[in-house]
């Protein structure tokens, strides 16, 4: 709930956190975060169409099995979907694979044998999925490992990608 708390403090945003993990849900309560314990993989059926202006999934899409469904549900309940994910095609990740190893970095912090990630995808892959699903990319930002914006070949030079998505 830290991200939602920060948004509330800095931008006067109100909202709900959604998490499946019991400990994460309990951790939100002392921070005054409204949180609902559900498995987002099953959808957001508890929320009405257009209930929110934004739905955010931060660095967790790669750990989801139902990627298409989740994106659809986010855009059902909100006008904008904000998504961030580690870019598997980042130069340093490619170098690790070329050296025969799965990459481990700040944005991909797990070893191959204990990662919660079930999907490894790139900026190009994500944009192709958005095109297939008819999702409009309203904004894309990519950042290097130092948090600096990347404009030159983000699929190669961006470690982390952020998208603002919507319906056409």
């Amino acid at each position: 709930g830290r991200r939602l708390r920060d948004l509330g403090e800095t931008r006067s945003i109100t909202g709900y956190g959604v998490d499946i993990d019991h400990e994460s849900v309990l951790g939100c309560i002392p921070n005054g975060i409204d949180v609902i314990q559900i498995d987002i993989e099953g959808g957001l059926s508890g929320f009405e169409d257009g209930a929110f202006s934004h739905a955010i999934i931060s660095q967790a899409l790669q750990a989801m099995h139902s990627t298409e469904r989740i994106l659809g549900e986010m855009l059902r309940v909100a006008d904008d979907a904000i998504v961030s994910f580690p870019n598997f095609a980042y130069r340093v990740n490619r170098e690790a694979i070329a050296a025969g190893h799965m990459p481990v970095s700040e944005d991909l912090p797990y070893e191959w044998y204990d990662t919660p990630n079930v999907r490894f995808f790139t900026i190009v892959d994500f944009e192709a999925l958005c095109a297939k699903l008819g999702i409009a990319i309203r904004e894309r930002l990519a950042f290097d490992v130092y948090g600096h914006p990347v404009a030159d070949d983000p699929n190669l030079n961006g470690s982390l990608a952020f998208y603002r998505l919507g319906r056409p």
Side-chain angles (χ1 to χ4, degrees), residues 32 71 131:
L71 292 172

Side-chain angles (χ1 to χ4, degrees), residues 43-122:
L44 297 170
S45 61
F47 298 103
E48 294 181 23
D49 294 0
F52 302 98
S53 58
H54 294 82
I56 301 170
I57 190 162
S58 178
Q59 296 188 57
L61 195 60
Q62 71 278 2
M64 304 290 165
H65 291 275
S66 306
T67 309
E68 294 178 47
R69 178 184 172 132
I70 290 166
L71 292 172
E73 280 289 278
M74 291 176 74
L75 289 169
R76 180 186 64 77
V77 302
D79 297 329
D80 282 340
I82 310 296
V83 176
S84 66
F85 58 86
N87 175 29
F88 198 63
Y90 175 53
R91 174 190 317 271
V92 174
N93 297 339
R94 293 179 191 198
E95 291 168 0
I97 292 168
H101 302 282
M102 290 299 290
V104 176
S105 66
E106 186 174 333
D107 293 324
L108 290 167
Y110 301 97
E111 294 288 345
W112 67 269
Y113 51 84
D114 70 351
T115 183
N117 299 327
V118 295
R119 309 243 182 269
F120 294 96
F121 55 97
T122 70

